[in-house]
């Protein structure tokens, strides 16, 4: 009865996880879903549409999504409300997995007046605080909320 309570249950079957990953996308309204034949299963997002894993270190670091695809070139960065590193690419917004953030290179302002800077693949990204990732990066965290529900 987990479904009725709204809590859901974990999916652990590798074939199902792969199917969902291959069919994970967003619509024009910024709602994320996975396509299951003719129906769309909208996803409730905790932090961001993507969870990013850091592969390697230094100048050759790569970012992979939780579905195993390359995240692409970062175009924006921010520091989320829980201190998470949020990055944006043509794929959308991703939160760096908390265990992987230590593999990234950061520079702090010695005077403490400027936000920390993420150094990634030779580019520098100031990590300004972002209290609303959904608004800043343009995605819908709760697509089934009445304001965003599919009609």
């Amino acid at each position: 009865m987990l479904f009725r309570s709204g809590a859901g249950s974990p999916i652990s079957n590798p074939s199902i996880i792969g199917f969902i990953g291959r069919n994970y996308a967003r619509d024009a309204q910024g709602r994320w879903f996975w396509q299951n034949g003719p129906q769309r299963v909208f996803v409730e997002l905790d932090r961001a549409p993507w969870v990013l894993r850091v592969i390697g270190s230094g100048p050759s670091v790569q970012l992979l999504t939780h579905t195993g695809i390359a995240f692409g070139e970062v175009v924006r960065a921010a520091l989320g409300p829980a201190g998470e590193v949020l990055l944006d690419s043509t794929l959308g917004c991703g939160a760096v997995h908390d265990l992987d953030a230590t593999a990234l290179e950061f520079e702090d302002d010695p005077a403490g007046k400027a936000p920390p800077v993420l150094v990634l693949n030779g580019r520098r990204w100031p990590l300004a605080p972002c209290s609303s990732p959904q608004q800043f990066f343009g995605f819908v965290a709760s697509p089934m909320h009445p304001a965003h529900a599919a009609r």
Side-chain angles (χ1 to χ4, degrees):
M1 289 298 158
L2 288 172
F3 176 77
R4 287 188 181 158
S5 71
S9 60
I11 298 171
S12 58
N13 182 299
S15 296
I16 294 173
I17 292 170
F19 174 78
I20 292 170
R22 287 187 304 277
N23 293 285
Y24 186 58
R26 66 179 165 209
D27 66 12
Q29 289 80 37
R31 299 175 300 181
W32 287 80
F33 63 90
W34 60 279
Q35 192 76 39
N36 184 19
Q39 68 184 15
R40 287 184 173 178
V41 179
F42 286 93
V43 179
E44 190 82 15
L45 301 171
D46 182 43
R47 297 262 186 251
W50 299 104
V51 176
L52 303 176
R53 300 307 309 246
V54 178
I55 308 300
S57 61
S60 63
V61 75
Q62 294 179 15
L63 299 170
L64 293 181
T65 69
H66 62 275
T67 62
I69 60 174
F71 186 60
E73 186 175 337
V74 172
V75 295
R76 285 194 296 178
L79 202 56
E84 68 274 25
V85 176
L86 298 168
L87 304 174
D88 199 15
S89 79
T90 56
L91 289 181
C93 176
V96 175
H97 193 286
D98 58 350
L99 296 177
D100 289 0
T102 57
L104 296 173
E105 181 182 347
F106 298 93
E107 295 176 356
D108 290 318
D109 177 19
K113 295 180 181 180
V117 173
L118 169 66
V119 180
L120 186 64
N121 296 328
R123 296 192 61 188
R124 299 168 43 88
W125 301 100
L127 294 173
C130 172
S131 61
S132 176
Q134 299 89 339
Q135 190 171 16
F136 186 80
F137 292 102
F139 65 88
V140 176
S142 187
M144 296 314 293
H145 185 277
H148 303 291
R151 301 181 201 275

